[in-house]
Amino acid sequence: MSLWTPDNIMDVPPYPPDRFDGEPEHSASLRFATEPEDYSVGPMKFDYLVTETKSDGDYGLYRVELGPRAGGAAAHYHRAISEAFYVLDGTMRLFDGDKWVEATTGDFLYVPPGGVHGFRNDADEPAQVLVLFSPGAPRESYFEGLSHLSKLTDDERREWNFRHDSYFL
């Protein structure tokens, strides 16, 4: 359903305030799909498309490949950030706070701050998902710390998760 008609086409909702006031810049960045991943751990690969540093804190955008039966994150929530998942390829399981659902290419899950969610790949094939965090957070530190969690005590692991705004149920 369209919000716009010929009668209201010029009634534009307000945009955020300007954040740039200067001469146009050549500041775009391009990342080719053929570039190697930024980080991998076990059956997971991470492409840091836009980090919170690059976006000046606006958001973080990551492409995550979950290998066959890679698992993922159990039910959890964040207090400071929202998270969104867009399935690029394959089949994966997404938890929407009520139930685990099978999600395939083109499916999308938005999770506001405080929303319980989870994700995993239980399939025999890899899956790829775009993950957006807003506002931006240093999620690269979280991803790169995952391989060290088994070396932490339960209390240390809980503290590490809290520092990364991840509250597991």
Side-chain angles (χ1 to χ4, degrees):
M1 179 173 127
S2 176
L3 299 174
W4 304 108
T5 67
D7 295 332
N8 72 2
I9 194 72
M10 295 305 288
D11 297 335
V12 178
Y15 273 67
D18 290 349
R19 296 175 46 204
F20 176 79
D21 182 22
E23 293 298 315
E25 300 175 345
H26 298 272
S27 55
S29 61
L30 175 63
R31 180 187 174 111
F32 290 98
T34 55
E35 292 183 33
E37 71 270 0
D38 290 298
Y39 182 71
S40 64
V41 58
M44 299 175 75
K45 297 177 183 175
F46 299 89
D47 292 318
Y48 303 161
L49 303 176
V50 179
T51 63
E52 57 101 18
T53 303
K54 185 182 268 187
S55 74
D56 202 21
D58 287 342
Y59 67 95
L61 182 64
Y62 305 88
R63 182 175 46 229
V64 180
E65 181 177 317
L66 301 159
R69 304 227 169 252
H76 66 286
Y77 66 96
H78 307 289
R79 293 181 177 175
I81 55 178
S82 66
E83 190 169 3
F85 300 84
Y86 182 83
V87 180
L88 295 169
D89 192 36
T91 300
M92 58 187 305
R93 309 270 299 156
L94 295 174
F95 186 64
D96 66 2
D98 290 321
K99 61 191 172 308
W100 286 94
V101 297
E102 189 170 284
T104 60
T105 303
D107 290 340
F108 177 76
L109 175 68
Y110 168 71
V111 185
V116 176
H117 64 287
F119 65 93
R120 64 184 189 230
N121 183 6
D122 292 338
D124 291 327
E125 300 296 325
Q128 264 192 40
V129 63
L130 255 169
V131 183
L132 174 78
F133 296 95
S134 179
R139 296 308 280 179
E140 312 81 56
S141 173
Y142 179 80
F143 299 144
E144 293 178 17
L146 291 172
S147 64
H148 304 286
L149 287 182
S150 64
K151 300 173 188 143
L152 302 179
T153 66
D154 288 344
D155 287 341
E156 290 170 332
R157 191 175 309 108
R158 193 173 304 107
E159 175 63 25
W160 184 83
N161 280 314
F162 291 164
R163 288 175 183 250
H164 287 283
D165 189 32
S166 295
Y167 300 87
F168 286 85
L169 304 179

